[in-house]
Amino acid sequence: MELSTAEPGAVRPGGRTARVRAAVLEAAGDVLAERGFAHLDLADVARRAEVGKTTVYRRWGSATGLVADLLADMAGRSVPRTETGSLLGDLTANARLVARTLADPRQGAVFKAVIAAAVCDPKAAEALHGFYAVRVAEWAPCVEQAAVRGEVPAGTDPQEVVRAVSAPLYYRLLTTAAPLDEAAADRAAAAAAAAARAGVYVRG
């Protein structure tokens, strides 16, 4: 599932419109990081972005519209997939990228806020699901290539493997105060790679 193109802000315009979008999304991220989704108010975002309130309401329409566009923007600006030539190398690169993102004070706080919103807001959940669908699909080819090389069994589900890399890192973010460092990332990658090689993720 991709992020909905029906959200008013989910276009990539140029010129002044692009500057307005960038300022609004920056302000929305600041509010999420500082105060959480419950306090994401369009009028407050407009004030912070120094943009007309009418413009924000017309283009994004709601707090969830802002969240959807913010996530779409984050997905579009993410670091491209790394190809190292081995499954473990590729999954380690993915895990370290996820860990760096979640360990960042601002981005980690934004993800916590959006995840919390997704629990009780269907549109926020749809936006979050769309974001992860894009990210997982981008990294899935590293598992497909590993299957061609014979590193994992035929029929291994690439998306399940990629999700398995990120899962312990998000769990660590949300349930502990433990650091999200390279050691944690490397363990997550090694565990997912070992499970994939053992056939755990072969489609039934």
Side-chain angles (χ1 to χ4, degrees), residues 1 75 78 81 91 94 98 128-144 157-167 170:
M1 178 177 65
S78 294
R81 174 170 55 90
L91 295 185
N94 175 253
V98 172
L128 189 65
H129 297 164
F131 172 83
Y132 287 118
V134 171
R135 301 302 294 135
V136 170
E138 181 177 356
W139 283 84
C142 75
V143 183
E144 297 167 358
D157 188 325
Q159 297 198 350
E160 286 299 314
V161 176
V162 175
R163 292 188 188 103
V165 173
S166 298
Y170 277 91

Side-chain angles (χ1 to χ4, degrees), residues 60-141:
W60 285 274
S62 66
T64 48
L66 268 176
V67 167
D69 198 25
L70 178 63
L71 289 172
D73 183 67
M74 291 169 67
R77 292 187 291 107
S78 294
V79 176
R81 174 170 55 90
T82 299
E83 294 187 17
T84 67
S86 74
L87 177 66
L88 179 57
D90 291 352
L91 295 185
T92 299
N94 175 253
R96 289 182 177 184
L97 174 60
V98 172
R100 285 196 304 271
T101 301
L102 298 181
D104 180 85
R106 184 178 187 276
Q107 289 186 294
V110 168
F111 276 110
K112 282 183 178 180
V114 176
I115 290 168
V119 172
C120 57
D121 188 303
K123 291 190 71 176
E126 182 182 1
L128 189 65
H129 297 164
F131 172 83
Y132 287 118
V134 171
R135 301 302 294 135
V136 170
E138 181 177 356
W139 283 84

Side-chain angles (χ1 to χ4, degrees), residues 45-61:
V45 169
R47 179 186 58 78
R48 288 174 179 240
E50 299 181 345
V51 172
K53 183 168 62 175
T54 302
T55 298
V56 175
Y57 276 97
R58 183 176 66 248
R59 289 188 54 197
W60 285 274

Side-chain angles (χ1 to χ4, degrees), residues 28-55:
D30 289 344
V31 174
L32 285 171
E34 294 167 13
R35 307 183 66 197
F37 179 77
H39 297 283
L40 184 61
D41 176 73
L42 268 62
D44 181 34
V45 169
R47 179 186 58 78
R48 288 174 179 240
E50 299 181 345
V51 172
K53 183 168 62 175
T54 302
T55 298

